[in-house]
Amino acid sequence: MKAIINTKYGTPEVLELKDVEKPIPKQNEILIRIKATAVNSGDVRLRKADPFAVRLFFGLFKPKTTILGSVFSGEIEAIGSGVKQFKIGDEVFGHTDMSFGTYAEYKCFPENGSIALKPTTILHQDAAVIPFGGVTALHFLKKASIQPGQEVLIFGASGAVGSAAVQLAKHFGAIVTGVCSTANVALVKSLGADKVIDYTKEDFTKNGEMYDLIFDSVNKMSVSDSLDSLKIYGTLILSAAGLFETLQGTWISMTNSKKIKVMTGIINHKADDIHFLKTLTESGELKPVIDKTYSLEQMVEAHTYVEKGHKKGNVAIEIN
Ligand SMILES: NC(=O)c1ccc[n+]([C@@H]2O[C@H](COP(=O)([O-])OP(=O)(O)OC[C@H]3O[C@@H](n4cnc5c(N)ncnc54)[C@H](OP(=O)(O)O)[C@@H]3O)[C@@H](O)[C@H]2O)c1
């Protein structure tokens, strides 16, 4: 099968199209013919080993994971003898969690992985971009026990996580303000945000508005300045926090006089979340946002674009 292989850390050019052996499903596994995947910000971090801590988990000198990609949409081509939930021909989508390997024509998954039947209303490339931002936003909004009527601000509202967070917060009944640059104001409004702040023209920490929940999805805002915009008992989600912001968040949670809770950490992956996102997609409440679509052969170009940090929603990869 065709796959994008990376045997060293580095620039997008380390990604090479090669022929590798097609996997065979074990007893409890399904073999998926991948029709689409996506290039996410997380793939770029792994490719570059940035931050350095990536090397502690994924290989000190060279990557142990030689096929990147964590999301997919495709069709089941074969199943192991013990598989009960799926059958050959089912169209499915999902997230690989830490096993990666979706920059390829085929991948085997355990049937109890983060997989669900693909939403019937959309194409494979649309389905493939839902799990990365969708599961991340859902994980943190549920952890924060988001409530109807709450005032919620999403910072980085035009990214993969942010665009899902805006739509999910609306689904949960919140009053949503999205923060993005001028070029993305119309997009964020179209996702249902009640108000959009253009960060090139206005600093939300200085406009006097107060929120129950502030969700920074891109690690680009000032954490300390944002505290003044949170109500008493408010929640601050730092889904893209690095080591510094994680420590800063722990300190704020322990010492802040407004009893603000700060949430950071790595998300976990569950099939239930993928099922939930499928349902919302089919009801039209969650729309996949795709900026650009590339082929597997154009992976270097796709990574170069995503690394710039200004994609609108997601970058999809179609695999023929
Ligand atoms: N905790 C976890 O387990 C977990 C899971 C998934 C992802 N993450 C992390 O989440 C982060 C975000 O992921 P993502 O894929 O959503 O990012 P992304 O799609 O690459 O974010 C792109 C968006 O960021 C916005 N942006 C760039 N600079 C900005 C600035 N200075 N101020 C405000 N917005 C700015 C851009 O909007 P403009 O062009 O308008 O500036 C663009 O739309 C990554 O660091 C990833 O590692 C964490």
Side-chain angles (χ1 to χ4, degrees):
M1 67 168 183
K2 281 191 294 181
I4 299 292
I5 308 291
N6 61 306
T7 52
K8 55 187 178 190
Y9 295 119
T11 61
E13 287 70 26
V14 299
L15 301 164
E16 291 179 295
L17 185 68
K18 293 215 167 131
D19 276 318
V20 298
E21 216 167 302
K22 184 176 165 183
I24 299 165
K26 298 194 187 91
Q27 200 189 13
N28 69 334
E29 285 185 338
I30 56 180
L31 173 71
I32 297 173
R33 167 78 168 93
I34 298 176
K35 301 281 181 75
T37 179
V39 175
N40 294 310
S41 49
D43 303 343
V44 171
R45 283 173 184 276
L46 284 190
R47 190 204 76 226
K48 295 167 70 181
D50 176 21
F52 184 84
V54 163
R55 292 175 185 262
L56 304 180
F57 298 97
F58 294 96
L60 202 51
F61 301 108
K62 57 180 188 171
K64 286 187 257 182
T65 303
T66 54
I67 305 180
L68 292 173
S70 60
V71 291
F72 64 90
S73 182
E75 188 176 323
I76 297 181
E77 191 178 282
I79 57 174
S81 59
V83 170
K84 300 203 167 50
Q85 296 179 53
F86 297 103
K87 60 181 190 313
I88 291 170
D90 281 348
E91 294 194 310
V92 290
F93 79 126
H95 197 294
T96 65
D97 201 353
M98 288 300 189
S99 77
F100 300 96
T102 63
Y103 289 180
E105 289 180 307
Y106 293 92
K107 171 145 176 84
C108 289
F109 293 90
E111 67 163 333
N112 61 359
S114 288
I115 300 169
L117 291 176
K118 171 184 153 294
T120 51
T121 46
I122 56 173
L123 301 170
H124 283 291
Q125 63 158 306
D126 296 316
V129 305
I130 288 172
F132 181 83
V135 172
T136 308
L138 184 60
H139 168 93
F140 282 105
L141 291 174
K142 283 198 301 191
K143 193 172 170 187
S145 303
I146 186 171
Q147 299 296 318
Q150 281 189 326
E151 299 269 2
V152 172
L153 179 132
I154 312 287
F155 193 88
S158 52
V161 177
S163 60
V166 167
Q167 298 180 79
L168 291 172
K170 283 304 294 175
H171 166 76
F172 290 120
I175 301 154
V176 177
T177 299
V179 182
C180 61
S181 68
T182 315
N184 294 321
V185 169
L187 166 70
V188 176
K189 272 196 187 138
S190 77
L191 299 175
D194 299 283
K195 187 177 169 189
V196 182
I197 295 175
D198 178 345
Y199 70 77
T200 67
K201 297 188 177 142
E202 185 182 342
D203 180 348
F204 82 89
T205 66
K206 301 213 165 39
N207 67 8
E209 299 285 333
M210 301 295 280
Y211 301 95
D212 298 286
L213 172 56
I214 294 178
F215 187 153
D216 179 5
S217 65
V218 284
N219 200 24
K220 297 279 185 191
M221 66 171 206
S222 161
V223 171
S224 48
D225 289 352
S226 73
L227 299 179
D228 290 340
S229 305
L230 273 168
K231 297 180 191 173
I232 192 161
Y233 294 112
T235 303
L236 180 59
I237 296 173
L238 304 175
S239 65
L243 180 62
F244 176 77
E245 294 80 22
T246 303
L247 295 173
Q248 188 183 15
T250 307
W251 177 251
I252 293 165
S253 288
M254 282 162 43
T255 58
N256 191 270
S257 59
K258 288 201 282 184
K259 308 282 183 206
I260 288 165
K261 267 189 289 183
V262 184
M263 294 177 178
T264 59
I266 305 289
I267 62 161
N268 49 33
H269 289 274
K270 299 189 291 287
D272 282 354
D273 287 346
I274 304 291
H275 281 284
F276 181 80
L277 296 173
K278 166 188 162 65
T279 308
L280 281 198
T281 305
E282 285 175 342
S283 69
E285 285 180 272
L286 180 63
K287 295 183 194 75
V289 179
I290 296 187
D291 184 344
K292 288 175 186 272
T293 301
Y294 296 88
S295 66
L296 199 59
E297 290 75 10
Q298 294 171 308
M299 190 59 83
V300 171
E301 216 179 301
H303 263 248
T304 304
Y305 182 66
V306 172
E307 192 168 342
K308 290 184 179 140
H310 290 283
K311 68 180 161 66
K312 300 173 199 298
N314 300 276
V315 164
I317 303 290
E318 269 187 324
I319 304 176
N320 297 311

